[in-house]
Amino acid sequence: MDLGWLWWLGAALVLGVVEMLTVDLLFLMLAGGAVAAAFAGLLGAPLWLEILVAALVSVLLLFGVRPWALAKLKSTTPDAKTGVDAQIGRPATVVADVSDRAGRVKLSGEVWTARIERTGVVLPAGTDVVVVRIEGATAYVAQPETPADPSQPYGPATQGF
């Protein structure tokens, strides 16, 4: 009995591991072709037929299944913002008067250096603000345009979080 089908099964496993590292669904489709070739080999097909089965099934999976599966994967995977990007739009409280030159705000439990972009404006301690952008370790803040709504934990600037 020919054990060539085990090579195809081994190739499918290797391609599956590579897929786990890339999550692009490309190597998964190739692994599907290798599994189909392993079945063909298990049934006693000659090598040329195994290669043909692997190629045909891989192409069918790549062009028939992968676009749909990739769209489904991307639609269910949220674009999670991390680091400083996650802080943009969040509420903060002024702890030391904020002007266009200096200030401090409490943001997500941490005290940050803060600035306001408008010159001549000073926000006193205790004022609720929203983070507009972050440059380095400085949070640029602005007063929210509408009063804070308690039903929206991060205010109107971050709906959808």
Side-chain angles (χ1 to χ4, degrees):
M1 182 172 161
D2 185 25
L3 298 178
W5 63 274
L6 284 173
W7 288 102
W8 287 110
L9 197 56
L13 290 173
V14 168
L15 289 166
V17 169
V18 172
E19 178 61 40
M20 286 191 292
L21 298 173
T22 62
V23 192
D24 192 34
L25 300 183
L26 174 69
F27 294 100
L28 185 62
M29 303 303 134
L30 297 176
V35 168
F39 278 121
L42 189 60
L43 295 174
L47 180 62
W48 67 268
L49 186 58
E50 292 175 19
I51 293 171
L52 183 65
V53 166
L56 285 175
V57 170
S58 294
V59 167
L60 286 173
L61 289 173
L62 280 171
F63 293 107
V65 176
R66 184 174 178 260
W68 170 81
L70 208 52
K72 186 76 172 165
L73 179 69
K74 288 183 179 178
S75 72
T76 59
T77 306
D79 292 332
K81 295 184 179 185
T82 59
V84 295
D85 291 334
Q87 302 300 336
I88 296 172
R90 293 218 178 205
T93 304
V94 176
V95 293
D97 293 353
V98 175
S99 67
D100 61 335
R101 295 179 183 233
R104 293 201 176 273
V105 294
K106 189 164 197 169
L107 171 63
S108 298
E110 298 177 345
V111 178
W112 285 64
T113 303
R115 306 277 185 277
I116 190 166
E117 292 181 331
R118 293 174 40 197
T119 56
V121 176
V122 176
L123 300 174
T127 304
D128 290 327
V129 293
V130 175
V131 177
V132 177
R133 65 186 164 97
I134 294 182
E135 288 184 11
T138 302
Y140 284 82
V141 298
Q143 284 187 290
E145 294 178 19
T146 58
D149 182 357
S151 67
Q152 298 176 358
Y154 297 117
T158 60
Q159 287 183 355
F161 265 78

